[in-house]
Amino acid sequence: MLNKKNNNSNDNEKNRFSTKLESQSKQITISKFEWITNYPPYPVPPFGLTVHPMAIIVGWIKSNPKHLNKYSKLYLDNGFVTISFSPSYLCHFFPKKMKELAYNFLEFLLKENEKIARPIIFQVFSGNMVFQSEIFKLLNEEIKFKKLIPFIKGQIFDSCPSKISEEQAFQSITKTMNRSISKKAVRLVTKSYSRLVDVEKIDKDFWDRLKKCPIPTSQLYIYSINDPISSYLDVERGIQIQKQQGIPVKTLCFDNSIHVNHLSQHPMRYMKNIYQFWEKTLRQPAIFNTIKNNNNMNNLNINNNINSNNNNNVKSFVGKFVSKL
């Protein structure tokens, strides 16, 4: 159950919503951490919740904010509050900066949670699974952040995890870089970096962090067999690591699909699995049981009757989104 302080925040909550849907994703720089919260225009929370859930969208390396906005809008259309951003690719060359970024974000999230305690869904893309692994480490080690764990209801991993290597860094940067940047220059940088630091140790530390996931709730992995950047073997290694910790895992694997572009190539299957994941992780059975008992109703379909308006609205949002792809 969500904290009672939410009841005292209802008025403030309603004032945040507007009739105009706006989505803003942020490219985080290595020197300035700035977090932007987007609010949906729908005053009624989805899935029978008492507050709007929050989606934290961590984009792929060098993701264009306008492309990331597509995913933020997907969540906004379905009644989520969103925080959408992509860490600077330089954080991957300076691991201490990635740790600092993760710490700063959790401090921000903790403050937001103290205002309104929302159920949280993470959706993480590609190489920035490294960021999420640092989140895992901080949730394990920092007492003040542990209070966030019960609010994290699920995690979705798109085209990740994958190993950390010189070649992986080169592929991740060049696939999304500005054409004016020479691939030879990028190759020189990645090769020089691999000579200065122990890349194998960085990779080992990354997988070790994944082996200590502090979030026990369900995970959904979306990936493809022919992904040239994130090998399906790496993704399935990550899946096995989570299963060995007793974490519930669902998968959506495509035979032929482009890296971090599964939504555009397979919109119906992608959205079906995403929506089913939301339903499973966010719907609150205890709330419906309370309603059922208070009204002395024994019909097994009571949940559908009580929430039909909300469900129809949410599903229509999904339909509208998919139809535009």
Side-chain angles (χ1 to χ4, degrees), residues 292 296-306:
K292 178 178 177 180
N296 296 317
M297 301 175 72
N298 296 317
N299 190 330
L300 293 177
N301 293 321
I302 181 173
N303 295 349
N304 293 331
N305 294 333
I306 291 175

Side-chain angles (χ1 to χ4, degrees), residues 28-29 36 49 54 74 151 160 162 200 244 286 302 306 312 324:
I28 304 299
T29 68
I36 298 174
L49 297 169
M54 174 179 285
L74 184 159
F151 296 97
C160 58
S162 62
E200 288 187 4
Q244 288 168 5
I302 181 173
I306 291 175
N312 288 337
K324 294 178 182 178

Side-chain angles (χ1 to χ4, degrees), residues 266-280:
H266 308 276
M268 295 306 294
R269 288 182 64 192
Y270 194 102
M271 275 308 308
K272 177 183 177 182
N273 280 267
I274 290 283
Y275 188 82
Q276 288 175 343
F277 186 80
W278 294 342
E279 282 273 359
K280 178 181 178 181

Side-chain angles (χ1 to χ4, degrees), residues 66-79:
K66 74 176 183 179
H67 295 151
L68 208 53
N69 281 344
K70 176 173 67 174
Y71 293 90
S72 182
K73 185 177 183 300
L74 184 159
Y75 281 92
L76 289 169
D77 280 346
N78 284 278

Side-chain angles (χ1 to χ4, degrees), residues 255-272:
D255 291 330
N256 184 20
S257 192
I258 298 174
H259 183 73
V260 301
N261 202 33
H262 310 308
L263 174 58
S264 295
Q265 290 200 289
H266 308 276
M268 295 306 294
R269 288 182 64 192
Y270 194 102
M271 275 308 308
K272 177 183 177 182

